[in-house]
């Protein structure tokens, strides 16, 4: 587990959702951005990309002051999947929060799936007890804006093929990740293809 974008190795990319203005994605739909392309798919609920309205997160404060973000809009648990196409990334972090009422324990689960079939997860619950021992009903937390936990994953034995985020009332922003690259076998196929092209070109030269 990593807790700072500086821990993401290699060349980094970041998605901050500022390029969209309240784009709504329904269950079964997706949104693709960036080069290389990264796709966000809503598996079972409604999502807003580039949410600009202030969002009340109960005792976890609020989001929406001077920033755009991705928000889960369906009441109850739902899941968003983040794919890197046929590429892979080494690690990622993002800013996370979710709606929570006093006396309850909502859960946000993030899972990274490796290209080798492995996976690793982390779960965030009561944010107010996750940082610096802040009391559950601390007024400073309740009144805070854009209060989040930055967290991510790097798998021990494989690169990451895709990520899922599951929870109720989730907001997330600033997804930072290692620039995705092809699988090693993809490189091998590309090199083989280049070899065939070079061989064909040499044959044409000899015939000429």
């Amino acid at each position: 587990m990593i807790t700072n974008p500086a821990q993401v190795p290699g060349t980094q990319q970041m998605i901050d959702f500022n390029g969209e203005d309240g784009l709504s994605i329904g269950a079964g739909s997706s949104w693709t951005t960036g080069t290389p392309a990264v796709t966000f798919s809503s598996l079972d609920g409604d999502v807003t990309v580039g949410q600009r309205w202030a969002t009340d997160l109960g005792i976890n404060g609020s989001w929406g002051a001077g920033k755009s973000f991705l928000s889960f809009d369906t009441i109850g648990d739902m899941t968003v999947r983040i794919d890197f196409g046929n590429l892979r990334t080494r690690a990622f972090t993002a800013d996370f929060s979710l709606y929570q009422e006093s006396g309850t324990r909502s859960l946000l689960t993030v899972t990274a799936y490796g290209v080798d079939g492995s996976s690793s997860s982390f779960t965030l619950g009561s944010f107010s007890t996750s940082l610096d021992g802040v009391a559950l009903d601390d007024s400073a937390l309740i009144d805070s804006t854009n209060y989040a936990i930055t967290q991510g994953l790097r798998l021990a034995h494989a690169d990451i093929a895709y990520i899922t985020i599951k929870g109720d009332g989730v907001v997330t922003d600033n997804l930072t990740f290692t620039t995705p690259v092809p699988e090693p076998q993809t490189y091998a196929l590309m090199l083989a293809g280049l070899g065939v092209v070079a061989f064909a070109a040499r044959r044409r030269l000899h015939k000429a």
Side-chain angles (χ1 to χ4, degrees):
M1 188 181 301
I2 53 180
T3 58
N4 190 312
Q7 295 174 282
V8 174
T11 303
Q12 296 180 2
Q13 288 182 241
M14 186 181 75
I15 298 173
D16 60 13
F17 308 106
N18 288 334
E20 297 294 335
D21 187 4
L23 174 65
S24 181
I25 299 175
S29 299
S30 61
W31 171 73
T32 300
T33 185
T35 305
V38 177
T39 300
F40 294 73
S41 301
S42 176
L43 302 187
D44 48 14
D46 297 328
V47 174
T48 298
V49 178
Q51 177 66 267
R52 298 179 187 272
W53 291 95
T55 300
D56 177 16
L57 299 179
I59 63 170
N60 285 336
S62 64
W63 271 40
K67 66 187 302 180
S68 299
F69 52 95
L70 183 146
S71 65
F72 286 23
D73 301 332
T74 297
I75 297 175
D77 279 349
M78 57 171 288
T79 303
V80 165
R81 172 169 164 156
I82 305 171
D83 280 281
F84 301 95
N86 294 318
L87 307 180
R88 58 184 186 159
T89 187
R90 294 173 64 189
F92 73 94
T93 62
D95 299 335
F96 296 102
S97 191
L98 77 164
Y99 179 81
Q100 186 171 313
E101 297 178 355
S102 179
T104 66
R105 183 173 174 78
S106 301
L107 297 177
L108 159 66
T109 301
V110 180
T111 305
Y113 295 86
V115 295
D116 63 347
S118 63
S119 65
S120 180
S121 302
F122 63 81
T123 298
L124 301 174
S126 177
F127 279 35
S128 52
T129 60
S130 299
L131 293 178
D132 302 325
V134 179
L136 185 64
D137 292 313
D138 188 283
S139 60
L141 176 65
I142 295 172
D143 294 336
S144 68
T145 304
N146 299 337
Y147 182 94
I149 290 177
T150 301
Q151 203 150 292
L153 289 167
R154 179 175 182 178
L155 299 183
H157 303 295
D159 288 337
I160 297 168
Y162 67 95
I163 303 161
T164 59
I165 305 171
K166 181 179 180 180
D168 180 7
V170 173
V171 293
T172 186
D173 198 7
N174 299 325
L175 174 66
T176 303
F177 52 96
T178 306
T179 298
V181 297
E183 290 290 325
Q185 55 265 36
T186 304
Y187 278 123
L189 288 172
M190 289 170 60
L191 291 172
L194 288 172
V196 170
V197 171
F199 177 74
R202 282 197 301 270
R203 290 195 62 183
R204 284 197 299 269
L205 285 172
H206 286 310
K207 286 183 179 180

